[in-house]
């Protein structure tokens, strides 16, 4: 099993960050790679379309409002992995109420690629996503 994790400090309060990213269907609000999210299974799944029109179906596996975190599994995607489980979490920063640390992590089993290739793919996705989050926060 391979894994990766990316963290980024965002110059906004943890509540402000969570209000933007904490909704399971809010990816289009801050992530340009995902312009569309359609709720399925009573909100427990989302059908995403990426910028190239490829379909990604994800299922919510855990949601913790108090901890500002949610986890999800990929059920269908154009990625060379199976068993994908990811968590998006907003951490407080002691003594810095105007800042938050956002962590996006995942683990998965590569299919047809090495662990390093799969890790590099998702590290890039997470880094680009957190860069987009910073831009979204700064332009609010």
């Amino acid at each position: 099993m391979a894994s990766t994790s990316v963290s980024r400090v965002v110059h906004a309060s943890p509540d402000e960050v969570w209000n933007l990213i904490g909704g399971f269907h809010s990816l289009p609000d801050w992530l340009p790679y995902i312009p569309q999210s359609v709720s399925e299974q009573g909100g427990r799944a989302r059908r995403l379309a990426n910028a190239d029109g490829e379909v990604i179906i994800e299922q919510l596996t855990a949601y913790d409002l108090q901890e500002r975190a949610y986890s999800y599994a990929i059920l269908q995607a154009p990625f060379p992995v199976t068993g994908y489980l990811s968590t998006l979490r907003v951490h407080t920063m002691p003594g810095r109420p105007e800042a938050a640390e956002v962590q996006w992590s995942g683990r998965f089993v590569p299919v047809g690629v090495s662990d390093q290739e799969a890790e590099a793919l998702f590290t890039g996705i997470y880094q680009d996503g957190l860069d987009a989050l910073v831009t979204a926060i700064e332009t609010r």
Side-chain angles (χ1 to χ4, degrees):
M1 182 168 277
S3 64
T4 189
S5 182
V6 174
S7 294
R8 182 82 187 264
V9 173
V10 179
H11 297 289
S13 73
D15 285 340
E16 184 180 352
V17 176
W18 183 249
N19 287 339
L20 178 59
I21 71 172
F24 185 57
H25 302 284
S26 68
L27 288 179
D29 297 339
W30 61 274
L31 188 61
Y33 178 72
I34 302 294
Q36 180 183 18
S37 176
V38 177
S39 177
E40 295 186 346
Q41 299 178 18
R44 302 269 317 153
R46 59 188 179 194
R47 176 180 293 269
L48 308 171
N50 69 17
D52 297 327
E54 297 170 312
V55 173
I56 303 165
I57 300 174
E58 299 175 337
Q59 184 171 31
L60 185 66
T61 59
Y63 188 89
D64 190 327
L65 181 60
Q66 187 173 12
E67 293 292 321
R68 295 186 197 98
Y70 71 81
S71 298
Y72 62 94
I74 290 181
L75 304 179
Q76 174 188 327
F79 305 127
V81 299
T82 62
Y84 177 98
L85 182 63
S86 182
T87 299
L88 189 60
R89 179 181 314 270
V90 178
H91 297 281
T92 59
M93 298 185 67
R96 295 187 60 196
E98 78 296 343
E101 180 184 12
V102 181
Q103 180 184 32
W104 199 348
S105 60
R107 62 179 193 260
F108 35 83
V109 177
V111 175
V113 298
S114 69
D115 284 7
Q116 293 79 12
E117 289 170 308
E119 288 169 351
L121 170 67
F122 287 103
T123 297
I125 289 171
Y126 298 167
Q127 285 175 336
D128 290 349
L130 295 183
D131 288 346
L133 171 61
V134 168
T135 300
I137 290 286
E138 289 175 351
T139 58
R140 290 184 97 186

